[in-house]
Amino acid sequence: MSTPSITVYVPGDAGALALGADATAKALAAEADRRGQSMRVVRNGSRGMFWLEPMVEVATARGRQAYGPVRAADVAGLFDAGFLDGGDHRLALGLTEEISWLKQQERLTYARVGITDPLSLEDYVANDGYKGLERALTLSPEEIVDEVTRSGLRGRGGAAFPTGIKWNTVRGAEAERKYIACNADEGDSGTYSDRMIMEGDPLALIEGMTIAARAVGADYGYVYLRSEYPHAIRTLRAAIEIAREAGWLGEKIQGSSTSFDVEVRVGAGAYICGEETSMLDSLEGKRGMIRPKPPLPALKGLFGMPTVVNNVISLASVPIILDRGAKYYEDYGVGRSRGTLPIQLAGNLRTPGLVEKAFGVTLRELIDDFGGGTASGRPARAVQVGGPLGAYFDESHFDLPLDYEEFQKHFGILGHGGVVVFDDTVDMAEQARFAMEFCAIESCGKCTPCRVGSTRGRELIEKIMRSEDVDANHAQLLKLCDVMENASLCALGGMAPLPVLSALRQFPQDFGIAPSEEPAHVE
C-alpha cells in the first residue's frame, strides 16, 4: 500500500487530550474514510498554545497550515472547506510558523516538540536528533563536561546549580558504579514543561541522559515519574524501547565504548519526592524522606553511589549544547543566566501556554504579549513565579527580567519556570495561608521547623485574618518564618515563607496591616 501524500497532525499531548484531541482525530479519520480521502494522521506533541487545542495542522507545499481549536463537530466543515489543501475556514490560523505567539520564541530545548512524531526515530534523526550524542561519542568525558560547563547551563528544576560542576563532581568520584537519576516528579502547580518534553520529544531526554552517562562514567539511569502522568509514562517507555532496539541504548552504543540503559520508575505522587534526596529514597524502594546533606548525592547518592540528579529540562537541553557547541547556547540569555527557559504561563490569562525564551524577558512581556492579559479582563494584581513556594510580585515588579540573580535580589526565585497570574480580586492573605497549609500537607515530617512550623504558620495567618491581636501575631509570624527558612532540612520548609513574606511585604492591606508598616524580610 502506498503512503498517503497528505499528513495531518493532531496532538496526543495530555493537555490536548483533555480538550478532546482523541475525538477530533477519530472524526478526521472517519470523515476521510467516508469521502475516500487518503491521508496520514500523526499524533504529535502540543505546540503549547492551549487555548487553540486541539490544534490540527496540515502539511502543505507552503508549510504547515494550522486550524484550531478543532472539535469533532467541526471536522466535516473543514473537509468541505478543502482544509487538506490549506483551504480557508473560520478556524484557519495561517501557517503555524507564522503565528506570532510561536514566532516570538527562541525554541532550543523544544525545537522538535509539536513538529515531529514523538515515537518516530526516523523523524527524530531527520530533525537533528542524536547529533549531540554522536559528537559526544567522539569526545572524552572531560571534554563533554567542559562543553556543558562553558554553555552556562544551570539546573532547570529550581536550584539553578551549574550542571557542568555537578557532572564534574560525579566524574571525579571513585566508585564501582555511578547512576543518572532524572527527576521528572513535576509537582509544582502551574507547571508542565517536563511533561511536554516526555510526551512530545522523549528521545531528547534519553539522548541527554546518555550524554550525561558518558560524561561521568555511569552505565544505568532512572527516570522518576509521577503516577499522575500516565501518558508521559507510556510514551517514555515506548521511546526507551525504540532507542534500545536501534542501538542508542544498551551495550556499546552505536559501536562505541559507552554502555548505558534507562528505566522508568513511577512514584506515588508525593510532592516531597521532587526533592532530590527524597526521590533517591523512593527510587530505592523506601518512603520518600529528606536526607541531610552532606553527603551530596553527587558523591553518595542512589544506592550509596555517585549520582547525577538532574531535572528533565536540564537533561533535554544537553543534546543541542553538544550539537551546536557551548558558545551557541551561551549566546542566549543575560548575566549569569545563560540559554533559554521554558516558561509555563498559567492562572488568569487569556492565552496561557508554554513559552521558551532566552533569559531576560520581563514578566510584563509574558503577561501582556504572550498571555494576552487576564482572562477576566481585570487588571493583573499579582504574579507568583517558581511554583507554590515562589514569591509573589506586584505590578511594580512586572518589568523585572527573568534572571536568577535579579529575582534573588527581590527575594524571589525562578524555580521551574512556572508563572501564575492573579487579577485584582485575589485575596493575598488567603494565598499566604494556602502556602503554609500546602507545606503542612506535603511535609515529609522529618524536621520540626517544616512539620510544626507550617501548621503554626497557618494558624498565625488565620488569626491575623480574623484581626486577632494583629501586631503580636504578625511579629510572631516573622520570627517563625526566620526559623523555617534557616533551620529546615530542605527547600520545602525553607521556602514556604517566601510566598508568605512577599505577600506581607507587597500586599499588607490584605492582612489588615497598614501599608506603611514594612515587614522585615528574613533571608
Side-chain angles (χ1 to χ4, degrees), residues 120-360:
S120 167
L121 183 61
E122 293 74 18
D123 224 357
Y124 185 70
V125 171
N127 286 275
D128 295 336
Y130 278 122
K131 282 188 174 179
L133 179 54
E134 283 177 337
R135 178 166 177 249
L137 292 175
T138 69
L139 301 177
S140 69
E142 293 85 351
E143 289 171 325
I144 298 171
V145 170
D146 180 61
E147 195 81 30
V148 173
T149 303
R150 286 189 293 106
S151 75
L153 178 66
R154 294 162 71 174
R156 299 292 191 249
F161 189 81
T163 303
I165 292 177
K166 180 182 287 186
W167 286 18
N168 198 45
T169 303
V170 178
R171 186 190 65 79
E174 295 290 335
E176 62 187 56
R177 198 165 194 197
K178 300 176 184 179
Y179 295 100
I180 308 296
C182 173
N183 188 344
D185 196 57
E186 188 173 53
D188 282 353
S189 49
T191 62
Y192 42 83
S193 59
D194 291 358
R195 177 186 60 72
M196 285 186 64
I197 281 289
M198 292 184 286
E199 294 178 358
D201 194 16
L203 289 165
L205 173 59
I206 295 166
E207 182 181 356
M209 291 181 72
T210 310
I211 293 169
R214 178 167 172 84
V216 305
D219 66 358
Y220 208 80
Y222 295 89
V223 180
Y224 185 84
L225 224 170
R226 54 181 38 231
S227 58
E228 290 93 333
Y229 279 180
H231 304 96
I233 293 167
R234 194 160 51 241
T235 304
L236 196 55
R237 281 181 169 155
I240 288 170
E241 195 57 39
I242 288 167
R244 198 177 283 140
E245 287 178 2
W248 289 106
L249 284 175
E251 294 292 322
K252 298 187 182 306
I253 292 171
Q254 301 297 306
S256 72
S257 60
T258 295
S259 297
F260 179 66
D261 214 335
V262 182
E263 71 173 274
V264 173
R265 285 284 181 92
V266 180
Y271 183 79
I272 195 63
C273 289
E275 195 280 337
E276 62 177 357
T277 62
S278 293
M279 183 195 72
L280 294 175
D281 264 11
S282 186
L283 275 172
E284 292 177 2
K286 306 169 188 170
R287 176 183 172 186
M289 297 281 280
I290 299 298
R291 298 179 185 177
K293 290 186 279 191
L296 297 171
L299 297 173
K300 191 174 180 182
L302 190 60
F303 305 117
M305 298 295 167
T307 304
V308 167
V309 181
N310 278 146
N311 152 269
V312 170
I313 303 302
S314 307
L315 289 162
S317 298
V318 167
I320 195 167
I321 293 171
L322 267 294
D323 175 20
R324 306 282 181 90
K327 181 71 167 54
Y328 175 84
Y329 193 79
E330 189 199 11
D331 280 346
Y332 291 88
V334 294
R336 291 176 52 215
S337 301
R338 311 311 308 177
T340 59
L341 180 68
I343 303 146
Q344 300 124 93
L345 296 182
N348 195 335
L349 288 171
R350 285 184 59 243
T351 53
L354 186 125
V355 176
E356 184 176 358
K357 284 288 288 180
F359 287 96

Side-chain angles (χ1 to χ4, degrees), residues 36 57 71 84 104-105 109 155 169 218 283 321 372 374 383 402 472 508:
E57 296 176 77
R71 314 295 177 202
L84 292 179
Q104 295 178 68
Q105 300 188 35
T109 305
T169 303
L283 275 172
I321 293 171
T374 63
V383 178
L402 264 65

